Amino acid sequence: MTAISSLVPARFLTLTAHLVIVITIFWSRDSNVLACLPLQYTQEQYQARDTELIVALSVTLGLFVVELAGFLSGVSMFNSSQSLLSIAAHVSASVSLLFFLFEQWSCTLYWWIFVFCSALPAATEIVIFMAVFGLKKKHSDLDCGINTLQ
């Protein structure tokens, strides 16, 4: 299996790992919410931080739907540039979210992880959707010349 052809299973595995970690944080978010609060907090502060984390995790799940739709439909499955970006982003997200979960990082750090590791690959996925369906570009035209290295 060449390096280019191994991008598809690697991308699927990193997407799945990131998805599982986000769902795990969703189920056990109480400790992360408490990490975002001062030692003395009110119920309103707790509710506000809990709602913030629920919104962030929900938007992340929505972006997973966008990225998985593009990947599983085949629109970006064999696009090497998107695959490399997606793999790098989701591996980074998986590692950093594990630290977020186990080390109980502050909720504000989640937004940084969200922007670089969820929103960025989803945004490029949307651009690929628009290029393929709106501009009628072929998948190979969007690849930035990476496939020519074979």
Side-chain angles (χ1 to χ4, degrees), residues 26 38 45 63 74 91 98 101 103 112 116 125-126 143 149:
F26 220 119
Q45 289 174 318
L63 293 177
V91 164
L98 283 174
L101 180 63
E103 299 293 325
W112 289 100
F116 290 110
E125 191 76 42
I126 291 169
D143 221 359
L149 298 175

Side-chain angles (χ1 to χ4, degrees), residues 6 13-14 25 28 43 49 51 81 91 103 105 113-114 118-119 121 123-124 133-134 145 147:
S6 64
L13 289 173
T14 57
I25 292 172
S28 61
Q43 186 62 28
R49 287 298 187 170
T51 303
S81 302
V91 164
E103 299 293 325
W105 285 355
I113 298 167
F114 167 80
S118 294
T124 57
F133 293 119
N147 281 337

Side-chain angles (χ1 to χ4, degrees), residues 32-120:
N32 289 102
V33 172
L34 292 174
C36 299
L37 296 169
L39 292 176
Q40 301 295 328
Y41 61 89
T42 64
Q43 186 62 28
E44 291 81 25
Q45 289 174 318
Y46 181 87
Q47 286 298 111
R49 287 298 187 170
D50 189 41
T51 303
E52 176 187 351
L53 194 55
I54 288 173
V55 167
L57 293 168
S58 299
V59 173
T60 302
L61 291 175
L63 293 177
F64 271 120
V65 169
V66 170
E67 201 165 351
L68 283 171
F71 177 68
L72 296 176
S73 69
V75 171
S76 67
M77 183 179 286
F78 300 107
N79 185 314
S80 299
S81 302
Q82 176 63 16
S83 292
L84 287 172
L85 173 69
S86 181
I87 290 168
H90 292 296
V91 164
S92 301
S94 297
V95 171
S96 56
L97 287 178
L98 283 174
F99 278 106
F100 177 82
L101 180 63
F102 293 129
E103 299 293 325
Q104 299 173 352
W105 285 355
S106 174
C107 296
T108 55
L109 288 176
Y110 184 85
W111 289 107
W112 289 100
I113 298 167
F114 167 80
V115 167
F116 290 110
C117 300
S118 294
L120 180 63

